[in-house]
Amino acid sequence: MLIFGLTGGIASGKSTVSRILEELGCPVVDADVLARRVVEPGRPAWRAIVGHFRDEILQEDGTINRERLGSIVFDDESKRKTLNRCTHPYIRREVLWELAKHFSKGSSYVVLVSPLLFETKYALHYMRQTIVVSCTDSQQLSRLMARDRLSKEEAVKRIEAQIPLSCKISWADVEIDNSGSRLETRGQVQHLVENMKRLSHCRLILFRTLIAVFASFMFVVFSFFAVS
Ligand SMILES: CC(C)(COP(=O)(O)OP(=O)(O)OC[C@H]1O[C@@H](n2cnc3c(N)ncnc32)[C@H](O)[C@@H]1O)[C@@H](O)C(=O)NCCC(=O)NCCS
Ligand SMILES: Nc1ncnc2c1ncn2[C@@H]1O[C@H](COP(=O)(O)OP(=O)(O)OP(=O)(O)O)[C@@H](O)[C@H]1O
């Protein structure tokens, strides 16, 4: 199974692309979705977070107040590192589990959506290709401010908590330019899916050819011993 890593900057359009991929029937594992699952009340990451950040980041129903925790960790790098230590090992475990499920279902490829793919370098060596979702710096800022109702100062802090989008663009194998309309992005994603299918198909043919060559070789060896 080939793994394609999809990343980008905060609010550059990863979820938008991820939704289009799912609509096109593409297998997707989204680390942001899993990151929400691991902090459900009572789970180990939730306990670790409450241990470090105390009850003030909890809502009445015991769930984490993400807005409050976000404003704490994007204001202070050491607290963000602490949060990462509380969550990342559990997110990695969930990612592995989801990938294993796709593998056991016989998927020939899967797209792993991971905002911090280049920051954490997690499983980077296993990616057949890395894909970055890009937009202009001013679009990133305005889209983030509008979506999360943040001031310019708060939004800039969140953008600066990650490797600059321009670096990610230069490191990735493929770029999905999300600076145009959603329809234009959709066209690029359709092209991407065709390419991922082609690559995984080539791998499948190579794998089957190797099996056939190995089986033929074993047949010749057994025939030789049977005759002699
Ligand atoms: C800080 C939290 C509480 C903010 O929650 P909120 O609902 O407002 O945002 P959401 O989870 O949807 O994340 C939005 C985006 O913020 C960025 N982001 C989130 N966490 C981080 C981080 N630790 N470092 C840098 N950027 C981050 C990512 O681009 C992500 O796509 C939350 O993101 C969190 O618990 N983060 C720690 C886990 C993590 O690293 N997740 C991202 C990678 S899987
Ligand atoms: N092509 C586009 N044109 C206009 N708005 C867009 C476009 N693509 C995405 N947006 C909007 O920009 C915002 C950010 O997009 P999205 O949530 O997909 O980004 P993201 O990279 O997943 O963000 P995060 O890093 O926070 O998870 C959303 O409000 C979305 O509706």
Side-chain angles (χ1 to χ4, degrees):
M1 185 178 76
L2 297 185
I3 306 172
F4 294 86
L6 189 140
T7 191
I10 185 166
S12 70
K14 296 175 301 294
S15 307
T16 303
V17 168
S18 170
R19 262 194 303 278
I20 301 172
L21 285 168
E22 280 175 333
E23 280 164 25
L24 296 174
C26 179
V28 172
V29 171
D30 191 331
D32 263 345
V33 173
L34 302 177
R36 285 170 184 268
R37 195 189 289 172
V38 300
V39 298
E40 282 166 5
R43 299 197 64 178
W46 177 90
R47 287 203 298 272
I49 293 172
V50 176
H52 279 97
F53 295 91
R54 303 288 153 205
D55 299 356
E56 64 197 77
I57 48 90
L58 287 184
Q59 308 190 106
E60 274 178 14
D61 62 359
T63 56
I64 285 170
N65 184 331
R66 304 179 69 85
E67 215 178 307
R68 193 170 304 160
L69 184 56
S71 63
I72 295 172
V73 300
F74 288 115
D75 209 25
D76 182 332
E77 191 184 349
S78 72
K79 288 186 177 154
R80 195 166 61 251
K81 283 185 175 159
T82 302
L83 176 64
N84 291 348
R85 277 195 297 274
C86 294
T87 53
H88 286 187
Y90 301 102
I91 298 172
R92 280 201 284 270
R93 197 178 294 175
E94 291 281 329
V95 165
L96 260 183
W97 179 238
E98 291 301 318
L99 291 176
K101 284 205 273 190
H102 281 287
F103 181 72
S104 68
K105 273 195 279 183
S107 301
S108 57
Y109 73 98
V110 63
V111 178
L112 171 61
V113 182
S114 172
L116 305 179
L117 187 68
F118 288 122
E119 283 85 352
T120 62
K121 297 187 178 67
Y122 172 63
L124 207 48
H125 289 305
Y126 298 103
M127 304 291 157
R128 178 61 181 79
Q129 281 187 332
T130 51
I131 302 150
V132 67
V133 183
S134 70
C135 62
T136 67
D137 292 349
S138 60
Q139 283 172 324
Q140 186 184 20
L141 183 64
S142 58
R143 287 177 187 175
L144 177 58
M145 286 167 68
R147 189 198 59 191
D148 293 351
R149 295 185 303 278
L150 297 174
S151 68
K152 187 174 175 189
E153 193 195 355
E154 288 170 317
V156 167
K157 274 185 197 159
R158 287 176 192 221
I159 291 172
E160 287 179 350
Q162 298 185 352
I163 292 175
L165 189 48
S166 55
C167 291
K168 294 183 181 181
I169 294 169
S170 68
W171 294 336
D173 300 308
V174 179
E175 180 181 359
I176 300 284
D177 179 358
N178 186 37
S179 61
S181 68
R182 287 186 177 82
L183 203 63
E184 283 169 318
T185 298
R186 193 182 179 86
Q188 296 174 61
V189 177
Q190 275 166 335
H191 186 70
L192 171 73
V193 172
E194 280 161 26
N195 192 43
M196 290 190 296
K197 281 185 181 162
R198 190 179 53 78
L199 286 173
S200 54
H201 189 64
C202 289
R203 167 70 69 93
L204 201 64
I205 290 175
L206 182 69
F207 184 65
R208 285 185 184 156
T209 310
L210 284 176
I211 299 259
V213 169
F214 180 71
S216 310
F217 173 74
M218 294 308 282
F219 178 75
V220 170
V221 170
F222 280 121
S223 308
F224 176 78
F225 281 112
V227 169
S228 57

